[in-house]
Amino acid sequence: MLLSSTLSFMEQLAQNNNKSWFDTHKNEYLAAKDDYEALVTEVLAGMATLDPAFKDVDPKKSIMRIYRDVRFSKDKSPYKTNLGAGFGMGGGKNTGAGYYLHIEPGKSFAGGGLWQPEGPALKAIRQEIDYNFEEFGKIVNDKKFKKMFAQIDGDKLVKAPQGYSDDNPAIEYLRLKSFTVGAPLPDADLTKKGAAKKIVDAFATMKPFVDFLNKGVV
């Protein structure tokens, strides 16, 4: 679980996204970071029951930096307004599908999948879906999966991708350019005992989806 002070700090940061304020409240940030690391550690312990490779993952290496890369952005706000952590296949970070924990007051979620894969990976995933659509359909139409994840998110092509026809049974998914899902995490749930278990349950539910995507790209 998270301390309410962690969410409060992130809310204040969103309203005071500048170096002067951040420097003045650096100790509060470090406390929030430690609190988030403790949650990530608990989540990784739960993930290890799904995949033993997560057992030896360093939570510090899974957590993303708070500092934004503003070099090519019109928005020069120096800090992210969320705490994020990514977990790749086998427990580490990689270019394949994986899991993502996003903590932001009112916008937190447990997510997973693959966002905007490069051309070869995207082509491989589409081929995997086309060849094994019955298996993919069972995953995304699973009762618990559908209840937890409203939809598979991602921009779509207007027309069928090259090599596929509009009457392909899997065309709804073949047109996707990203393959991600997310389960909302209300603030109230994050500050209660059992928060890590709820996150792990979301990851466990999306695991067959993540594993399927990785068959095409790993």
Side-chain angles (χ1 to χ4, degrees), residues 106 135 167 196:
E135 178 187 351
D167 60 357

Side-chain angles (χ1 to χ4, degrees), residues 85-140:
F87 318 104
M89 189 185 74
K93 293 180 179 178
N94 60 28
T95 56
Y99 308 89
Y100 172 65
L101 177 59
H102 182 102
I103 300 298
E104 182 176 5
K107 301 177 183 178
S108 300
F109 64 90
L114 189 56
W115 183 71
Q116 293 189 350
E118 295 185 0
L122 179 58
K123 183 177 180 181
I125 290 172
R126 284 173 174 158
Q127 180 174 286
E128 193 68 32
I129 292 174
D130 183 41
Y131 287 178
N132 299 289
F133 184 51
E134 183 176 354
E135 178 187 351
F136 185 75
K138 287 180 180 179
I139 292 170
V140 298

Side-chain angles (χ1 to χ4, degrees), residues 15 42 44-45 48 51 65 83 93 95 139 145 153 160 166 172-173 177 185-186 189 200 216-217:
Q15 298 169 3
E42 196 175 351
L44 284 170
D51 182 346
R65 286 165 51 86
L83 296 167
K93 293 180 179 178
T95 56
I139 292 170
F145 186 93
D153 300 308
D166 287 326
E172 174 187 356
Y173 304 104
K177 295 190 284 184
L185 298 170
D189 289 352
V200 172
V217 297

